[in-house]
């Protein structure tokens, strides 16, 4: 999959961004599963993980930032931007740090850790915006939900990568 | 063997943390003062013990607006113009350690045992 051809990379990264955006918009349309603020599947992170493994950290960051900015535009709320940025960037930094020491089979583990930090970043931003430190009461539940959703998205990313490698060559 | 021990201690630690969380959560049922704030600014504090009739009011500006209801059953958000409606589904509450929040609108309703504004129980306007 790795290619140095700039046009190929640009096309692939744009495609990944588009897919991530579609997932993000569809997920935003799903009514929340619980009454606890911040619980989400975080499905678009699948694409960030795929981009990170296929192309590298810098490219994954580009996909992530494009998705966050465009996604917030589509969501129509600039607050979404702040929450997505704080969670997404913290998650990205942690994952980018783990990636070099991670076996390919353990992508789900990285995703779980990333999801936990995503929730920590978001709750920190929420406390900052509302100046309500009591929001920390939601943290334990969010950590558990982050572990579950992170495990799922990581597994999904591993599945996508497996299919991309073993699937029929389209070119 | 070593792996098993790690797993066991990990699970034990998690259970302990959950128990602690549960124990701490049980406290705070005496907190009957609700503090409504938006973007960190306290808009209003309400002593829920003194409420005898239902009152609704709107906070925020169009685009970031919530309708709050105060009644003898508790306080809660009954409508919001945010897309996720999490705060509406949280319902009416009288106490609890966790605040009711509408994160997209920066709104929070937290509960306290004492009135931090030092004003009367039902005061309007931004005191701070």
């Amino acid at each position: 999959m790795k290619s140095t051809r700039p046009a190929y990379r640009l096309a692939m990264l744009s495609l990944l961004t588009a897919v991530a955006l579609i997932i993000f918009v569809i997920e935003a349309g799903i009514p929340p599963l619980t009454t606890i603020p911040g619980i989400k599947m975080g499905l678009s992170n699948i694409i960030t993980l795929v981009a990170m493994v296929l192309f590298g950290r810098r490219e994954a960051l580009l996909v992530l930032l494009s998705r966050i900015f465009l996604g917030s535009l589509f969501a129509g709320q600039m607050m979404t931007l702040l929450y997505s940025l704080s969670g997404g960037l913290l998650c990205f930094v942690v994952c980018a740090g783990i990636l070099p020491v991670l076996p390919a089979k353990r992508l789900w583990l990285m995703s779980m850790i990333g999801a936990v930090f995503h929730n920590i970043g978001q709750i920190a931003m929420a406390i900052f915006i509302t100046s309500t430190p009591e929001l920390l009461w939601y943290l334990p539940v969010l950590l558990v939900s982050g572990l579950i959703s992170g495990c799922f998205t990581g597994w999904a990313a591993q599945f996508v990568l497996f299919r991309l490698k073993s699937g029929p060559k389209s070119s | 063997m070593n792996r098993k021990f790690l797993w066991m201690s990990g699970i034990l630690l998690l259970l302990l943390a959950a128990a602690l969380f549960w124990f701490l959560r049980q406290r705070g049922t005496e907190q009957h003062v609700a503090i409504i704030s938006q973007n960190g600014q306290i808009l209003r504090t309400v002593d829920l013990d003194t409420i005898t009739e239902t009152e609704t009011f709107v906070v925020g500006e169009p685009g970031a607006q919530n309708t709050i209801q105060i009644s003898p059953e508790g306080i809660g958000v009954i409508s919001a113009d945010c897309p996720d409606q999490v705060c509406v589904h949280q319902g009416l509450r009288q106490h609890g350690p966790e605040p009711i929040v509408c994160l997209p609108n920066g709104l929070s309703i937290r509960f306290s045992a004492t009135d931090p504004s030092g004003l009367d129980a039902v005061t309007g306007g931004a005191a701070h």
Side-chain angles (χ1 to χ4, degrees):
Chain A
M1 281 306 282
K2 276 211 170 125
S3 167
T4 47
R5 282 174 294 165
Y8 173 81
R9 282 155 62 89
L10 184 62
M12 272 302 281
L13 290 175
S14 313
L15 182 69
L16 286 175
T17 306
V19 173
L21 254 178
I22 293 167
I23 295 175
F24 182 80
V25 168
I26 290 177
E27 197 188 344
I30 301 173
L33 308 163
T34 60
T35 60
I36 295 158
I39 288 194
K40 249 189 105 168
M41 304 256 282
L43 293 176
S44 48
N45 198 44
I46 296 171
I47 303 300
T48 315
L49 292 172
V50 169
M52 201 184 267
V53 173
L54 283 183
F55 291 96
R57 287 175 277 188
R58 231 162 22 127
E59 287 81 354
L61 184 63
L62 284 176
V63 170
L64 175 70
L65 288 178
S66 315
R67 192 261 295 165
I68 288 175
F69 281 109
L70 292 172
S72 305
L73 272 181
F74 289 158
Q77 285 206 312
M78 275 305 114
M79 278 292 195
T80 314
L81 181 69
L82 292 178
Y83 291 115
S84 294
L85 266 183
S86 58
L89 282 182
L90 191 61
C91 168
F92 176 83
V93 166
V94 170
C95 285
I98 297 173
L99 188 70
V101 294
L102 189 91
K105 281 269 168 64
R106 292 275 184 279
L107 198 60
W108 57 272
L109 194 64
M110 177 172 99
S111 175
M112 282 170 89
I113 298 168
V116 161
F117 277 93
H118 186 278
N119 282 341
I120 291 174
Q122 280 200 319
I123 219 166
M125 179 56 84
I127 288 172
F128 177 73
I129 288 176
T130 64
S131 32
T132 308
E134 286 87 344
L135 280 171
L136 277 175
W137 280 105
Y138 288 114
L139 190 60
V141 185
L142 286 178
L143 293 184
V144 174
S145 94
L147 286 174
I148 296 168
S149 62
C151 185
F152 176 73
T153 53
W155 172 80
Q158 257 179 267
F159 186 71
V160 169
L161 287 165
F162 173 75
R163 292 303 288 257
L164 280 175
K165 272 178 200 138
S166 68
K169 285 265 185 293
S170 52
S171 56
Chain B
M1 178 59 197
N2 202 7
R3 237 182 132 82
K4 209 169 189 175
F5 174 74
L6 267 175
W7 272 105
M8 291 295 275
S9 46
I11 290 168
L12 205 71
L13 215 68
L14 270 179
L15 283 177
L16 265 174
L20 184 71
F21 174 60
W22 201 250
F23 171 73
L24 287 173
R25 256 190 62 103
Q26 297 306 309
R27 312 188 319 171
T29 49
E30 301 306 309
Q31 304 177 331
H32 285 177
V33 176
I35 305 157
I36 306 159
S37 56
Q38 190 162 32
N39 298 325
Q41 294 262 304
I42 296 180
L43 301 177
R44 186 170 170 180
T45 59
V46 182
D47 187 342
L48 296 173
D49 286 337
T50 65
I51 301 299
T52 49
E53 49 196 47
T54 303
E55 180 197 350
T56 58
F57 57 95
V58 175
V59 296
E61 285 147 21
Q65 216 162 44
N66 298 72
T67 308
I68 295 173
Q69 186 176 81
I70 301 169
S71 76
E73 288 97 69
I75 184 168
V77 180
I78 54 167
S79 83
D81 58 6
C82 60
D84 59 21
Q85 303 290 312
V86 166
C87 54
V88 177
H89 291 124
Q90 285 183 318
L92 296 180
R93 291 220 321 257
Q94 282 193 312
H95 52 76
E98 322 95 328
I100 298 171
V101 279
C102 176
L103 292 183
N105 295 351
L107 178 88
S108 78
I109 303 169
R110 63 184 199 274
F111 298 92
S112 163
T114 52
D115 190 337
S117 66
L119 298 171
D120 283 327
V122 185
T123 45
H128 290 266

